[in-house]
């Protein structure tokens, strides 16, 4: 499924970070959580996702290749924290106090909700829409919903319905 080949050294870096943080968590929490499954199937602008029920972490291969060690140091613990929080607390706010505690106190990593990686290489085409006060860029999915008459979108600032404009391209 993944079209990107991840060099062995990067895969080893991911696993080394995962194992180190998991060991830290198991020691701190007095648990014996197994290693989650890691795959490189995440697409789009998300760096990673945690699949809570299946104990799995999906990583974005493009962003990993472009950001290497920074990606490993930030994204792997971030997604592991989601899994650990689910096992310990059940369903809670994704980046709530339990997740922040897990990141900072247990995994010893600053808690950041979003990555700051350059996303131009993974960003999909957008479509220009106008309201009274500004230009908006809608994703392909939202644009298609408008075209099919399934949705309409309004500006959060002026409240006006967004109108597709073909004169400005992105």
């Amino acid at each position: 499924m993944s079209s990107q080949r991840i060099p062995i050294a990067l895969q080893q870096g991911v696993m080394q970070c995962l194992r180190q943080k998991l060991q830290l968590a198991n020691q701190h929490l007095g648990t014996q959580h197994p290693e989650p499954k890691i795959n490189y199937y995440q697409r789009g602008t998300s760096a990673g996702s945690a699949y809570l029920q299946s104990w799995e972490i999906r990583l974005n291969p493009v962003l990993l290749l472009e950001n290497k060690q920074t990606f490993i140091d930030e994204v792997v613990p971030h997604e592991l924290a989601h899994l650990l929080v689910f096992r310990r607390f059940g369903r809670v706010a994704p980046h709530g106090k339990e997740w922040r505690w897990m990141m900072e106190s247990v995994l010893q990593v600053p808690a950041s909700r979003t990555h700051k990686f350059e996303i131009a290489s993974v960003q999909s085409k957008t479509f220009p829409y106008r309201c009274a006060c500004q230009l908006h860029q809608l994703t392909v999915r939202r644009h298609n919903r408008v075209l099919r008459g399934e949705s309409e979108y309004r500006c959060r600032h002026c409240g006006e319905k967004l109108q597709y404009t073909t004169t400005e391209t992105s």
Side-chain angles (χ1 to χ4, degrees):
M1 185 172 175
S2 176
S3 59
Q4 295 283 337
R5 292 194 54 117
I6 307 299
I8 292 294
L10 270 182
Q11 290 182 43
Q12 289 172 335
V14 166
M15 292 310 296
Q16 181 181 14
C17 178
L18 177 74
R19 288 175 179 140
Q20 177 195 19
K21 296 302 180 185
L22 185 60
Q23 181 181 20
L24 207 58
N26 280 332
Q27 288 172 348
H28 189 277
L29 303 171
T31 56
Q32 286 300 315
H33 293 300
E35 278 183 19
K37 180 181 179 201
I38 299 282
N39 70 49
Y40 300 92
Y41 299 151
Q42 184 67 48
R43 296 170 53 196
T45 58
S46 293
S49 294
Y51 287 77
L52 306 176
Q53 312 293 1
S54 58
W55 197 249
E56 177 182 346
I57 294 173
R58 274 191 188 170
L59 300 175
N60 187 314
V62 176
L63 293 178
L64 171 59
L65 287 166
E66 291 176 355
N67 299 283
K68 296 178 179 61
Q69 195 60 49
T70 304
F71 182 101
I72 292 169
D73 294 342
E74 295 175 8
V75 178
V76 173
H78 178 115
E79 301 308 334
L80 177 61
H82 285 302
L83 296 178
L84 295 168
V85 165
F86 179 68
R87 286 271 171 102
R88 185 166 180 95
F89 300 105
R91 287 214 176 268
V92 294
H95 300 105
K97 65 181 186 224
E98 299 88 352
W99 178 82
R100 285 192 308 275
W101 171 79
M102 189 67 70
M103 285 289 287
E104 293 173 350
S105 298
V106 177
L107 301 181
Q108 301 171 0
V109 177
S112 179
R113 291 184 62 234
T114 58
H115 66 76
K116 297 192 175 33
F117 304 134
E118 176 58 49
I119 58 169
S121 64
V122 291
Q123 199 163 28
S124 61
K125 179 173 173 40
T126 58
F127 295 83
Y129 279 73
R130 275 226 167 267
C131 66
C133 68
Q134 63 183 307
L135 178 68
H136 301 264
Q137 296 295 328
L138 266 61
T139 62
V140 170
R141 178 175 289 170
R142 288 185 175 193
H143 175 66
N144 286 336
R145 285 181 181 154
V146 170
L147 293 180
R148 291 190 302 261
E150 296 171 357
S151 295
E152 69 176 38
Y153 298 94
R154 295 190 174 274
C155 176
R156 289 184 180 177
H157 300 290
C158 70
E160 186 177 294
K161 181 180 171 183
L162 303 185
Q163 299 293 327
Y164 179 51
T165 174
T166 56
T167 57
E168 300 172 64
T169 59
S170 117

